[in-house]
Structures are given as structure tokens and as C-alpha cells.
Amino acid sequence: MKRKIIAYNFVLTEALEQLDDRFEVEYFDGINPKTDSAFLDALKQAEGIVGLALPVDKELLEHAPLLKIVSNNSTGFNNLSLDEMTKRGVMGTNTPGVLEDTTADAIFGILLAAARRIAELDHFVKAGHWTGHLTTEQYAIDVHHKTLGIIGMGRIGSTIAKRGHLGFDMKILYHNRSRNIEAEEKYDATYCDLDTLLKKSDFVCLMTPLTPETENLIGEREFKLMKNSCVFVNGSRGKTVDESALIEALRNKEIYGAALDVYRIEPINENHPLLQFPNVVTTPHIGSSTLETELKMANLAVENLLAGLTGKRPKNLVNPEAFKGE
């Protein structure tokens, strides 16, 4: 009898073909993992889970007595209750080092779109409103030689800084838990406290992981510190921003606009107030969503899974205390 694996919201199933000989794979997509009876039944025999955004908490773990590893098909792992997993000897892994360039392209792309009003003016043309010379009402703002403030200068933040500094001659400010000397040397980035960054930046780009410390990091107070000409960009996680405060800042014209790839609840409701602002660019969490990058991530997730199931230490283990091998 083959050992059981659960694939959860795992789109590129061809990456799982290497499991076929040794494992039985059950696929689940678009289900409620708390109530789906087939999923809960599969958990009883599952030794591994691979996929995206499955909340792995105490309740789930109690349904999965044989579970050895949860392989996240993403860089983030805030969906994993690592303390509970480690208590039970369940390993957790992620897929870092794959998506930095792709995500930086996407985030800098929506920054450009918001500054130059690309989505808004695309609609303007397609709606037949372009009938002559543009007026100042259709003018946008420059990106080059402006100040880009990056909150969270990790791998992706650094890659965004590279695009801003080397491609657009931007001055880079950053705020991070610790200094990023490499970014300072390569991109002339200047470390500063959060308030200084918010006050001086023409573009504020939020790229922090979601932690208890960063939840609602940007709220009413922070938006009031930003320039009226500032574009706010969120490429981190939706819960790092108080969306009600962002809506008020946009309504009161406290900021120029926003570019958002993440939201507190995803998919975002079609009637959400943020979708009513023409000066807000909204994309459906596309950071790493290219075929090339997603396939690399999927293959790495499967590689991590296989390692954990065959007694080896996964390359991208995020709770090393749970590993019981040599």
C-alpha cells in the first residue's frame, strides 16, 4: 500500500509526477479544510502535505497523526503554526530563493502603473474618451529620480531597490529589523526609522513578512505622515495594512494613490471600496505568478517534501527542531 500525500491548492500538478511510483496523492482545491469530510478523512493517513496557504494549526494536526512534513509552495510560511508542528515532530518547509526577480518585477510594475496611471488611462482610451490632446487632468507623476522608501529590505525588497536605483535613478530609503549592508553598498540605500521613511518617500513600498509585530503596521497615523503626492505600494501581506485607514487616506486625498497586490481577505470582494478608486491599481496577488517561476517553486516544494519523507533534512526547513535525523 502506497503512503499517502495531500496536494492542497497545488496548480502545477506535473511537478508531482515524480511521486507517482511511491505515493498515493489526493488532490484538494477550493475546499474548506475545517469541514470538508474527504479532506479530513485523508488527513488520517497522510504523511505529507504539499501546497499553498493551508492553515496548519493544532486542530488540523490533531486530525493527522501520521503527518511528517508540510511543504509550503511559497516563500512565506505564516500559515504554519510552527510551535504546534515542532511539538509533534512535523517539519515545515518553504521555497525561498526562487521568486525574488519575478516578484520585484510585478511590484515595481504596479508602482509604475499607479504613478503613470496606466490602468486608469487604458480604460480612458478603451472607453472612447480620448478624443484630442490630453489635459492636465490626465497627467501623471514621474518615477525617475524620486525617493523610494522600502519597508522590509529582505531579498525581494533588495531586488526592488536594485530596479529603482539602477533603472530609475531613485534615491533609496529603507527600514528593516536590521541593517542591510549589501543593499547600502550596491544601491546607495539609506537606513532610517519608519517615521522618517514615511515623511520623505515619494513611493512607500511595504515588503515585510506578516508577523505579530507587522500586523496593521501601516494605519491612520502612518498614512498621515506620508506626502500628499505619495504612492503607497503593498506587496507583502494584506494584514500588514489597516485597509479602513487606507480607504480614508484615499478619500481624503492624503496620498496620491496606491498599488496593491495583496488584501486582508483574498479574493477581494467585488464590492470592496478599494476597487472604486481609479487611482488604485489592484492585481490578484500575482507576485510570483509566471509559469517559469511557479514551476520552479513547485519542483522545489516537491523536493523538500521528498527529502522529509525519506528521512533526509529538507533544504528549506523552517523549524529545524522538528528534524529527527542525523
Side-chain angles (χ1 to χ4, degrees):
M1 184 176 178
K2 292 183 179 180
R3 300 159 71 187
K4 181 168 287 188
I5 302 297
I6 289 176
Y8 181 86
N9 292 348
F10 199 91
V11 177
L12 296 175
T13 55
E14 58 264 43
L16 296 170
E17 292 176 358
Q18 56 191 299
L19 301 177
D20 289 345
D21 291 340
R22 288 178 285 175
F23 302 95
E24 174 192 353
V25 182
E26 284 202 44
Y27 298 88
F28 295 92
D29 192 8
I31 57 114
N32 184 337
K34 299 286 188 184
T35 60
D36 188 273
S37 58
F39 178 79
L40 293 174
D41 190 57
L43 279 177
K44 296 175 184 178
Q45 299 298 323
E47 294 188 34
I49 299 174
V50 60
L52 180 66
L54 174 65
V56 179
D57 53 16
K58 182 178 180 180
E59 182 182 352
L60 181 143
L61 292 166
E62 287 176 348
H63 285 91
L66 304 181
L67 192 62
K68 295 179 173 60
I69 183 169
V70 179
S71 179
N72 257 13
N73 186 30
S74 68
T75 297
F77 48 90
N78 55 285
N79 60 305
L80 304 181
S81 297
L82 293 179
D83 288 343
E84 291 294 334
M85 291 172 62
T86 302
K87 286 178 188 176
R88 293 166 169 81
V90 178
M91 294 175 283
T93 63
N94 65 339
T95 57
V98 176
L99 51 66
E100 286 79 7
D101 278 308
T102 299
T103 303
D105 285 349
I107 300 307
F108 208 89
I110 61 174
L111 181 156
L112 285 168
R116 296 305 306 268
R117 301 172 63 179
I118 290 172
E120 182 184 354
L121 294 176
D122 171 75
H123 178 73
F124 174 81
V125 173
K126 290 176 178 174
H129 298 318
W130 187 28
T131 57
H133 294 297
L134 295 182
T135 68
T136 55
E137 291 181 359
Q138 283 84 48
Y139 287 177
I141 58 174
D142 282 329
V143 175
H144 62 85
H145 295 93
K146 294 292 184 68
T147 298
L148 171 59
I150 301 174
I151 305 169
M153 190 65 93
R155 291 179 176 179
I156 300 173
S158 296
T159 312
I160 293 169
K162 176 181 179 181
R163 281 150 177 75
H165 180 65
L166 299 180
F168 291 82
D169 294 308
M170 300 181 84
K171 178 180 179 181
I172 307 297
L173 303 179
Y174 78 98
H175 179 71
N176 203 48
R177 287 178 298 178
S178 57
R179 297 273 296 272
N180 187 326
I181 303 303
E182 183 179 7
E184 293 179 14
E185 293 174 349
K186 287 186 174 181
Y187 314 125
D188 199 23
T190 300
Y191 177 82
C192 61
D193 61 76
L194 181 59
D195 285 5
T196 299
L197 182 148
L198 296 173
K199 291 174 183 177
K200 292 188 175 182
S201 297
D202 299 300
F203 299 88
V204 171
C205 186
L206 182 58
M207 297 305 301
T208 62
L210 178 61
T211 67
E213 293 74 28
T214 63
E215 185 167 355
N216 290 321
L217 178 65
I218 304 298
E220 180 182 3
R221 173 186 171 276
E222 288 71 31
F223 285 118
K224 289 185 182 301
L225 288 175
M226 296 179 196
K227 299 178 181 179
N228 296 124
S229 58
C230 179
V231 172
F232 173 70
V233 183
N234 190 8
S236 59
R237 289 291 185 269
K239 290 183 179 180
T240 56
V241 177
D242 180 341
E243 285 185 352
S244 296
L246 172 57
I247 291 164
E248 286 305 304
L250 291 162
R251 283 177 178 159
N252 298 330
K253 301 187 185 305
E254 293 171 357
I255 58 176
Y256 177 84
L260 310 172
D261 190 44
V262 291
Y263 314 88
R264 293 190 78 87
I265 298 176
E266 297 180 0
I268 190 170
N269 188 286
E270 62 181 4
N271 297 314
H272 197 290
L274 284 171
L275 304 186
Q276 312 308 313
F277 292 98
N279 57 332
V280 177
V281 174
T282 52
T283 50
H285 205 147
I286 64 169
S288 62
S289 298
T290 67
L291 184 58
E292 300 97 323
T293 293
E294 291 290 347
L295 188 55
K296 287 178 184 176
M297 290 173 62
N299 284 326
L300 180 54
V302 173
E303 180 185 326
N304 286 329
L305 179 76
L306 277 172
L309 292 173
T310 55
K312 300 174 185 175
R313 181 188 176 100
K315 181 165 59 176
N316 304 114
L317 186 61
V318 296
N319 60 337
E321 300 86 358
F323 179 63
K324 303 304 182 183
E326 293 293 330

